Amino acid sequence: MNSRPLSDRSPTPFLWGVSTSAYQIEGAAHEDGRGLSIWDTYSRLPGKIAGGDTGDIACDHYHRYREDVALMQKLGIGAYRFSVAWPRVLPEGRGAANEAGLAFYDRLIDALIESGVEPWLCLYHWDLPQALQDKGGWTNRDCANWFADYASLIARRYGDRVKRFATFNEPSVFTLFGYCLGGQAPGIVDRAMLLRAIHHVNLGHGAAVDRLRAAVADASLGAVHNCQPCRPATDKAEDRAAADLFDAYWNGAFPDPQLRGIYPPAFAEAMAPHLQPDDLAMICRPVDWFGLNHYSPHYVVASDRNPLGVWFGPAPADVPRSSMGWPVEPQAFREILTNMHKRYGLPIYVTENGTAFADQPLPNGEVPDAPRISYLQAYTGAMFDAIADGVDVRGYFVWSLLDNFEWGSGYSQRFGLVYVDYPTLRRLPKASFHWYADLITSHSASAVPTV
Ligand code: FCB
């Protein structure tokens, strides 16, 4: 790794931020006319979420957003990526809008702008309205149009103040786990349903890009992809084949059609029955940037436990892990940044990176989290090594501002720069919060011309 300090190596200007998502932090699940999402339903199914947790209260950000924006201002970030809860603004997913829900995001966006933090709005971070799931959700081709109509509503309402929009967060994750591998809402395990969902999400992306462009003249648009090198867990031929197939789905199912107008050859033939003429042209619409989320590489094995025939094998024994069990390998981050830059050629924003550890507050309210600081140091260092290699990275967002509802892990996994004491909902900035604030300050200081 390059030994020069980070602040000497970061390009100017470089955008520092944090990311969150609606279902994971907002709470207020039954307030002000919000409709149900598939995660409200899924989290109530016995045994699906650790501890039987739900997002009903989460971090209560819906009521405490001002305190959270003040934390962002203290952190010194330039941008905040959040998602809108589709069922909060359209309780039935389509049709009548919910003014109280729309007004919440007005208040949030205004508070961000007043604090000098640029809002980055993500339309979809997994919380499909349950009313649309009842009509087949993403397996129904109409869902692409429902999504496009929702995108128009959001663009018209906030486009005067918000210019940065992401269509989907990690479509490969919510389709693979939600429709084939198990473990996420809506809890379907079926390969044909997976293929349909993938295609309809891609159609929704293309349609939403067109709607956003039409409504917001100076919009800057992208989609957010979870990119992880997929390595075979062993040398066996079947595990190598499984890793290649999984790579095609995980890293290619969305960026390839959206940015190159093709489905990856590994499953293009299987996808063909779901395509209508011109679909790929409608999906492949020009965007401005590539949102890249990264946590760790996958180690893949062939397996018959799901219809895709792949599963997760062990990482090499000497690789350290986070409390999620995810391998900590900063060089994999450099590798995937380089690959995605070469493959798609778009400016990259790292829209999520971070790690979970079992943080414990001290009696004085401080929260030491040295392992998270080491992780962030190593990963930002790897990112700047990629930049030095010529990869065009324009910004970096830590996942996450707050500890929050971590999907199947409930509240048992803490990713925040700020500790949330769930019984009281008190926010306690961790040591990594101060570390990140210092990094941002030192970067800004180094960006001031010295003449
Ligand atoms: C990503 C998700 C995000 C969060 C992090 C830890 O895959 O986008 O919501 O759960 O993982």
Side-chain angles (χ1 to χ4, degrees):
M1 191 185 297
N2 195 317
S3 57
R4 275 191 298 143
L6 205 56
S7 51
D8 287 358
R9 294 194 278 141
S10 47
T12 309
F14 191 83
L15 188 62
W16 297 101
V18 291
S19 287
T20 65
S21 89
Y23 189 74
Q24 294 179 274
I25 65 165
E26 284 181 5
H30 306 290
E31 264 178 72
D32 292 344
R34 176 186 176 277
L36 290 180
S37 80
I38 54 174
W39 274 92
D40 293 295
T41 309
Y42 185 78
S43 61
R44 281 178 168 69
L45 298 176
K48 295 293 186 196
I49 312 291
D53 294 339
T54 73
D56 280 6
I57 299 175
C59 307
D60 196 31
H61 172 77
Y62 188 76
H63 298 114
R64 294 167 196 252
Y65 69 94
R66 283 195 185 283
E67 184 183 350
D68 295 336
V69 173
L71 283 166
M72 295 177 213
Q73 197 176 21
K74 206 163 162 200
L75 199 48
I77 51 172
Y80 171 56
R81 183 175 76 103
F82 64 100
S83 74
V84 169
W86 185 348
R88 195 180 285 292
V89 298
L90 285 166
E92 295 295 312
R94 58 196 184 133
N98 175 29
E99 178 52 36
L102 287 165
F104 166 67
Y105 297 105
D106 277 329
R107 295 195 293 278
L108 172 63
I109 289 164
D110 291 345
L112 289 166
I113 292 171
E114 274 162 31
S115 307
V117 177
E118 187 188 18
W120 282 49
L121 188 157
C122 179
L123 288 169
Y124 189 88
H125 202 124
W126 307 358
D127 45 358
L128 184 74
Q130 181 61 43
L132 300 185
Q133 185 61 40
D134 296 342
K135 297 182 184 311
W138 290 112
T139 66
N140 182 341
R141 190 175 165 104
D142 290 342
C143 204
N145 294 327
W146 301 331
F147 181 69
D149 290 344
Y150 158 59
S152 292
L153 170 75
I154 295 300
R156 284 197 307 269
R157 177 79 177 214
Y158 308 118
D160 57 336
R161 289 155 289 162
V162 178
K163 305 299 172 191
R164 302 281 198 163
F165 295 92
T167 53
F168 287 93
N169 177 72
E170 299 188 354
S172 65
V173 177
F174 78 79
T175 54
L176 278 162
F177 288 106
Y179 291 85
C180 198
L181 302 180
Q184 290 201 3
I188 293 168
V189 176
D190 183 302
R191 183 156 172 272
M193 291 297 142
L194 168 68
L195 296 174
R196 291 173 66 83
I198 288 174
H199 190 55
H200 301 150
V201 168
N202 275 322
L203 284 170
H205 163 85
V209 165
D210 287 348
R211 300 286 190 93
L212 290 162
R213 288 257 186 253
V216 186
D218 44 356
S220 173
L221 307 177
V224 170
H225 302 286
N226 184 311
C227 305
Q228 309 193 217
C230 294
R231 303 174 176 159
T234 75
D235 257 352
K236 286 192 220 151
E238 71 246 41
D239 291 343
R240 289 204 306 270
D244 286 347
L245 179 70
F246 198 55
D247 176 55
Y249 276 101
W250 189 275
N251 293 311
F254 296 91
D256 270 9
Q258 292 177 12
L259 302 172
R260 304 163 82 194
I262 56 161
Y263 275 107
F267 64 93
E269 214 172 291
M271 195 56 110
H274 306 287
L275 265 69
Q276 294 182 10
D278 298 334
D279 275 6
L280 286 167
M282 292 196 301
I283 291 168
C284 186
R285 311 297 295 144
V287 294
D288 303 292
W289 44 269
F290 187 100
L292 189 151
N293 293 357
H294 175 82
Y295 291 88
S296 59
H298 285 310
Y299 289 89
V300 181
V301 290
S303 157
D304 55 9
R305 64 181 279 168
N306 58 65
L308 212 59
V310 302
W311 196 244
F312 304 98
D318 57 340
V319 169
R321 323 277 178 98
S322 73
S323 62
M324 291 290 283
W326 294 352
V328 176
E329 287 185 65
Q331 285 316 308
F333 187 30
R334 181 180 183 172
E335 173 188 328
I336 200 79
L337 283 167
T338 309
N339 290 347
M340 293 297 141
H341 171 66
K342 282 194 190 139
R343 193 147 126 189
Y344 301 113
L346 281 171
I348 293 175
Y349 286 92
V350 175
T351 34
E352 282 183 29
N353 174 243
T355 191
F357 284 104
D359 308 305
Q360 287 289 344
L362 301 175
N364 67 3
E366 287 176 14
V367 188
D369 63 341
R372 182 172 292 99
I373 296 175
S374 308
Y375 177 101
L376 294 172
Q377 260 165 346
Y379 275 71
T380 49
M383 171 178 71
F384 283 109
D385 289 340
I387 293 172
D389 295 342
V391 179
D392 182 6
V393 184
R394 306 271 174 98
Y396 174 90
F397 294 63
V398 171
W399 182 272
S400 183
L401 176 68
L402 305 168
D403 294 339
N404 59 50
F405 176 82
E406 177 47 37
W407 310 115
S409 304
Y411 298 100
S412 69
Q413 294 291 337
R414 296 180 174 274
F415 275 88
L417 297 174
V418 176
Y419 184 93
V420 177
D421 177 48
Y422 292 112
T424 61
L425 292 165
R426 210 171 138 214
R427 275 84 163 129
L428 299 172
K430 302 179 191 175
S432 58
F433 178 98
H434 303 294
W435 174 85
Y436 194 43
D438 287 348
L439 173 73
I440 296 170
T441 310
S442 68
H443 167 75
S444 314
S446 75
V448 174
T450 49
V451 279

